[in-house]
Amino acid sequence: MEKLTVYLDQLKRMRSMNRYYHDQFLLDVRILFILNTVFIFISLQNIYALYVLPLISLFGSVLLSFHAYFLIFSRQYSEYIELKINNELGEDVLIGHKLENDYFFPINDKKIVVAVLGRGFTWFSFVTFFITGYGLGTFFYSIYQIYSKSLNFTFLVLIIIVLIVTITIGIWWFVSGTGEKRLNKIFEKYGK
């Protein structure tokens, strides 16, 4: 099989993965928004609904980060393949990775999951922070309400422990670049 055909097949696969996880991300954001909003409303009449909000927020943050995990992977691999194809052809025929780096977020810059601060900040970064802020807001709103109403202290302790573990692992994988360093080791081995 011709090398270029293999590259194009892999690129098509990665672009398909990218679309799937974008679609899934947006669907899940809508579902999580509706659930959070419904449980905030229910909690106005039934304070025990407050227990559901931090669970939705934490689960939602992990789920959305999981989608981002695949988006980053597919963007990294798509760029790698496009560079390989351009190198094979001797010119920049494929520029999708350049457009994505400028318009969405620079894939190789330091970021908070998929949001870049500084010169790489985009609407994509804003939306990421906005969605994250909404999730954190509902999380801390519910925690504060549970605490101020002297509900279940054990639940608060457990949920805070889960939050700390989640944030710590998120920082280790995304912010420190552990995942992308693993990808780059493979790319370097096969010539990026």
Side-chain angles (χ1 to χ4, degrees), residues 148-189:
S148 68
K149 292 177 182 6
S150 299
L151 296 174
N152 189 324
F153 186 73
T154 305
F155 176 80
L156 287 176
V157 170
L158 288 174
I159 209 75
I160 296 298
I161 289 170
V162 173
L163 173 68
I164 292 168
V165 168
T166 302
I167 288 173
T168 302
I169 292 173
I171 289 169
W172 165 73
W173 186 261
F174 289 108
V175 179
S176 75
T178 298
E180 290 175 275
K181 288 173 189 166
R182 290 181 183 186
L183 291 174
N184 284 324
K185 279 170 51 178
I186 302 295
F187 292 150
E188 287 169 10
K189 181 177 180 180

Side-chain angles (χ1 to χ4, degrees), residues 101-106 109-112 114-126 129:
N101 282 327
D102 198 49
Y103 193 74
F104 295 121
F105 62 93
D109 283 8
K110 191 165 186 77
K111 53 195 163 302
I112 302 168
V114 293
V116 177
L117 296 172
R119 69 168 185 78
F121 188 82
T122 63
W123 178 253
F124 198 94
S125 296
F126 170 76
F129 287 129

Side-chain angles (χ1 to χ4, degrees), residues 69-132:
Y69 172 79
F70 276 97
L71 290 172
I72 291 168
F73 173 80
S74 67
R75 282 267 321 271
Q76 285 279 6
Y77 193 36
S78 294
E79 180 173 309
Y80 173 79
I81 296 166
E82 284 188 5
L83 291 171
K84 285 286 203 182
I85 292 170
N86 288 343
N87 189 43
E88 241 354 85
L89 298 174
E91 61 180 302
D92 285 347
V93 175
L94 298 174
I95 60 165
H97 65 282
K98 292 180 182 187
L99 294 169
E100 289 169 331
N101 282 327
D102 198 49
Y103 193 74
F104 295 121
F105 62 93
I107 193 70
N108 291 311
D109 283 8
K110 191 165 186 77
K111 53 195 163 302
I112 302 168
V113 186
V114 293
V116 177
L117 296 172
R119 69 168 185 78
F121 188 82
T122 63
W123 178 253
F124 198 94
S125 296
F126 170 76
V127 171
T128 300
F129 287 129
F130 184 86
I131 292 167
T132 303

